[in-house]
Amino acid sequence: MRALPGRGRLARSWPRRYLGAREVAMRERVREILAREQAGGEVEVRGWLRTARHAKGRSFLEVSDGSCFAGLQAVVEPEIANFEAVRGLRNGCAVVVAGELVASPGGEQRFELQATRVEIVGEVGDDYALQKKRHSFEFLREIAHLRPRTNTIGAVLRVRNAASRAIHDFFQERGFLYLHSPVITASDAEGAGELFRVTTLDPGDPPRDASGAVDHGEDFFGRQAFLTVSGQLEAEIAALALTDVYTFGPTFRAENSHTSRHLAEFWMVEPEMAFCELDGDVEVAEAFLKAVIGAVLEACPDDMAFFEKRIAPGVIETLEHVVETPFERLTYSEAVEILQRSGRDFEFPVEWGVDLQSEHERYLAEEHIGRPVVVTDYPAAIKAFYMYLNDDERTVRAMDVLVPKVGEIIGGSQREHRLDVLTRRIQAAGLDLAEYWWYLDLRRHGSVPHAGFGLGFERLVQFVTGVANIREAIPFPRVPGYADF
RNA sequence: UCCCCGGUAGCUCAGUUGGCAGAGCAAGCGGCUGUUAACCGCUGGGUCGUAGGUUCGAGUCCUACCCGGGGAGCCA
């Protein structure tokens, strides 16, 4: 971090409720205080009480500012001017505490703050919902405005942040350009799921054409519009000019999916690389997952230790394994053979031509291989029209990365860049060639082999943190029937 | 959308064969203590998801609906 002049010094008039830009940039967080080499010196922390323990002779306040998993314990003695008011503090109160950083005689923390001043900035009411006990995740979702103050969600949000940063770092270091693909789209680009309609028409009295149908020509965009289900097609446009690009933004699916792995609004990462075929795609995907997971392990050790202890025992070993060992590679045909020879009694029998079920993916990644598996070359009939058709005419250059517990975390492919084949595939899929005129036009002018993949960001966060439900991997989950906060 | 499980105090849950609605935590009050989700005592706190039905009597049995969870499908 930058060394700014005067950093860590107390503001002249105290307490200062409002910090200037310079002071905000300079303020020392609990994370940095706890990382100090040794005790000593004046510090000031601003945050919310995780707990307040009032003993007869003194009070113990654990102040968290969200910068790290642990809080800083402040010890308040009766000599403090507003000691009686401090006695009334409890879990959730907002405070500013200043004092000397000293070695802690208590066994559970290295340092503590011997308070010289305590300002009570915000108290809590008797009905404050967060208690110093375990709450169910279901209940916490109903109080999403307080949820980030909990151990689990606070840790998830820090991991989410670290993973976001690692994603940008990975691509930026390799010369990828960050492309902002549109959120509003006019066509159901790849048929990937149900779309949310975007309209400004009066739902109770829309304009109608001569036949009585809703006249979308009168709508805001002069035609039907939707929220994007993927930035891939736009990423292909950019890749065929800028070589390597990636998108990282919100994506929307209006499917009525009620599972622990689906959200109606989620974030997706989609790199797209020109002059790249399936092998390169797989290599980038593997390096990408390893880099991001490795970066989180390094950036958030305390948060990860919490997940290991309380949420998903074994998660750290699983992640380290992912970072250290090469991914297994199988073709779809090989995977089918392995599954058929497994002797397993699957609910859905395996045969060449049908898509792999969750139980099959989990068997491959968790039991048969025991580490991430990349399955390639799926039957053309079960994959999207834009995937490159192999010479056998029955498989496409698709790849799925399967990880233990979560299943498919990355799906990608080499794209069909041959005009004649793509035209044929669009028609075979029953799609309207006219809708894809620009996508086809790209194949007429300077078309090159290119490939990319998509990663569901919340599924990555879910995999890394071990939270059972994807709704805990995003600060404000949107699912069928629920969009509060 | 389909299958299974659940909904009882602010929270987490128990509630027997249909027979007076309970505990822990939280809250309020008091006590104790360099404390660690502190501890001890007392007090207050209920439309048993909603609407019907069976019954002398329903938290408990039946029906429908709502909400939550798990699984499947769809997918990232």
Side-chain angles (χ1 to χ4, degrees):
Chain A
M1 185 166 275
R2 288 174 301 164
L4 294 172
R7 187 153 179 275
R9 273 171 50 196
L10 294 181
R12 197 152 285 146
S13 65
W14 199 89
R16 289 278 302 277
R17 283 172 188 250
Y18 307 106
L19 302 180
R22 216 171 89 106
E23 289 161 304
V24 166
M26 293 189 307
R27 78 169 142 208
E28 197 172 26
R29 305 286 197 130
V30 170
R31 176 190 179 93
E32 297 154 48
I33 293 169
L34 292 178
R36 283 191 184 184
E37 293 289 313
Q38 56 192 28
E42 287 257 305
V43 297
E44 175 183 304
V45 292
R46 295 161 182 261
W48 297 265
L49 299 187
R50 272 293 161 72
T51 176
R53 293 178 291 270
H54 302 290
K56 189 165 194 179
R58 55 184 62 77
S59 284
F60 298 90
L61 310 177
E62 188 180 333
V63 184
S64 166
D65 63 5
S67 59
C68 60
F69 187 82
L72 179 63
Q73 170 163 286
V75 185
V76 188
E77 308 281 354
E79 291 71 38
I80 298 298
N82 56 346
F83 187 66
E84 274 315 302
V86 168
R87 310 285 291 170
L89 288 173
R90 56 203 184 90
N91 172 35
C93 292
V95 297
V96 183
V97 185
E100 190 185 358
L101 190 69
V102 299
S104 177
E108 304 198 8
Q109 57 276 318
R110 285 175 65 217
F111 303 136
E112 63 187 23
L113 182 53
Q114 190 64 50
T116 52
R117 289 178 291 197
V118 178
E119 190 205 353
I120 299 164
V121 181
E123 298 184 87
V124 302
D126 291 348
D127 58 342
Y128 185 58
L130 280 181
Q131 301 172 14
K132 291 183 292 185
K133 56 166 277 190
R134 271 194 63 130
H135 289 290
S136 68
F137 288 134
E138 294 80 17
F139 172 67
L140 291 177
R141 277 177 223 144
E142 294 169 8
I143 51 168
H145 59 303
L146 302 173
R147 198 170 73 140
R149 299 184 188 182
T150 63
N151 282 338
T152 303
I153 301 302
V156 165
L157 296 184
R158 282 185 295 273
V159 164
R160 212 183 139 91
N161 174 69
S164 298
R165 178 177 184 165
I167 286 165
H168 284 294
D169 285 348
F170 176 86
F171 289 123
Q172 294 293 330
E173 286 164 7
R174 285 163 179 76
F176 283 62
L177 181 136
Y178 179 27
L179 177 77
H180 302 101
S181 54
V183 167
I184 296 171
T185 177
S187 66
D188 179 0
E190 52 168 311
E194 296 294 310
L195 297 124
F196 285 102
R197 192 178 299 279
V198 177
T199 180
T200 53
L201 296 180
D202 179 354
D205 183 26
R208 297 184 182 277
D209 60 21
S211 68
V214 174
D215 183 4
H216 294 285
E218 294 289 306
D219 207 342
F220 187 88
F221 295 107
R223 58 180 297 180
Q224 291 198 75
F226 309 93
L227 294 179
T228 184
V229 293
S230 167
Q232 180 198 315
L233 301 191
E234 287 86 0
E236 285 188 53
I237 293 174
L240 292 177
L242 302 156
T243 307
D244 295 323
V245 304
Y246 68 105
T247 72
F248 184 6
T251 309
F252 307 87
R253 303 276 168 92
E255 276 146 20
N256 192 15
S257 295
H258 244 105
T259 82
S260 57
R261 302 185 307 282
H262 288 85
L263 293 165
E265 175 184 287
F266 62 98
W267 286 62
M268 190 147 67
V269 180
E270 294 178 291
E272 191 70 32
M273 298 156 283
F275 302 99
C276 179
E277 303 195 353
L278 188 67
D279 287 342
D281 201 28
V282 171
E283 283 171 29
V284 172
E286 178 172 349
F288 169 75
L289 268 186
K290 288 179 170 175
V292 173
I293 291 170
V296 171
L297 286 172
E298 185 166 340
C300 305
D302 294 349
D303 296 315
M304 290 308 305
F306 170 77
F307 292 124
E308 172 73 27
K309 188 175 175 193
R310 290 292 166 87
I311 304 293
V315 67
I316 290 179
E317 193 187 334
T318 299
L319 295 175
E320 286 173 344
H321 194 54
V322 168
V323 170
E324 288 159 10
T325 60
F327 290 8
E328 183 74 18
R329 276 189 64 165
L330 296 172
T331 65
Y332 168 86
S333 300
E334 290 167 340
V336 167
E337 260 187 62
I338 288 169
L339 290 165
Q340 285 175 337
R341 284 200 310 245
S342 69
R344 275 306 178 88
D345 187 23
F346 292 114
E347 188 184 345
F348 296 91
V350 185
E351 62 176 296
W352 201 97
V354 304
D355 206 357
L356 300 181
Q357 305 290 322
S358 298
E359 58 175 342
H360 306 142
E361 297 180 345
R362 250 178 279 127
Y363 174 82
L364 287 172
E366 287 171 24
E367 295 184 51
H368 183 74
I369 312 281
R371 61 173 183 273
V373 182
V374 187
V375 180
T376 63
D377 300 290
Y378 283 80
I382 59 171
K383 288 291 182 182
F385 70 87
Y386 52 73
M387 298 184 179
Y388 185 97
L389 191 64
N390 280 315
D391 292 344
D392 64 12
E393 292 271 329
R394 59 176 207 151
T395 60
V396 289
R397 290 189 185 166
M399 62 105 167
D400 283 356
V401 179
L402 313 178
V403 295
K405 304 284 185 333
V406 172
E408 182 187 336
I409 197 168
I410 282 178
S413 67
Q414 179 179 337
R415 320 306 188 188
E416 184 55 74
H417 71 284
R418 299 164 298 185
L419 178 64
D420 55 333
V421 181
L422 184 61
T423 304
R424 191 151 46 90
R425 296 269 288 148
I426 289 177
Q427 287 171 321
L431 299 170
D432 183 6
L433 281 174
E435 281 287 309
Y436 296 91
W437 71 269
W438 54 265
Y439 195 65
L440 289 160
D441 203 48
L442 281 173
R443 275 69 183 172
R444 287 192 186 92
H445 310 294
S447 187
V448 300
H450 60 290
F453 60 83
L455 167 95
F457 184 58
E458 283 73 19
R459 290 209 178 151
L460 175 70
V461 174
Q462 201 181 353
F463 180 59
V464 170
T465 61
V467 294
N469 196 310
I470 200 167
R471 294 166 203 202
E472 271 65 70
I474 188 168
F476 306 103
R478 273 81 180 93
V479 296
Y482 193 82
D484 290 359
F485 303 95

